[in-house]
Amino acid sequence: IQAHVGAVTACAFSPDGKHLTSYSMVENKLSFWQTSSGIFGLGASQTKCTKSFSTTPVPDSVRLNPQRFPKLVWISNKTVVLMMADGTEHRFNA
């Protein structure tokens, strides 16, 4: 699946497993993906991008230090938080 033009920095599944979120700090972009499979897990799996958001640029000091990379944390089946190294948080809804 072509998710981002740049490298994916973080990704996380929602608690119910129905959504995947991917984030690229190269693009400053967060995308929501809807995941599904056939009936009872049989048949072809499908994943499609349902929403994308532009995010604030990440400073170069963060880009050069993998320990400070942003993280994604789901707080419900529909809401994910992009946690930045400086302690700021940005909420997004699927």
Side-chain angles (χ1 to χ4, degrees):
I1 298 170
Q2 182 64 38
H4 297 273
V5 175
V8 173
T9 307
C11 61
F13 279 97
S14 63
D16 63 5
K18 294 181 179 179
H19 293 92
L20 171 69
T21 303
S22 59
Y23 170 72
S24 172
M25 70 179 172
V26 174
E27 296 178 88
N28 302 312
K29 180 180 170 185
L30 181 132
S31 296
F32 281 96
W33 301 83
Q34 185 176 14
T35 60
S36 64
S37 61
I39 298 172
F40 304 114
L42 302 172
S45 297
Q46 296 180 356
T47 303
K48 65 178 181 175
C49 185
T50 56
K51 286 185 183 179
S52 290
F53 297 93
S54 294
T55 61
T56 57
V58 176
D60 287 337
S61 61
V62 172
R63 292 178 191 270
L64 300 174
N65 185 351
Q67 294 178 344
R68 295 181 50 90
F69 281 4
K71 295 176 178 49
L72 293 168
V73 177
W74 285 86
I75 58 172
S76 73
N77 287 333
K78 297 286 184 180
T79 305
V80 71
V81 176
L82 178 62
M83 300 177 73
M84 308 305 275
D86 65 1
T88 58
E89 298 179 352
H90 307 277
R91 291 181 184 216
F92 299 92
N93 292 315

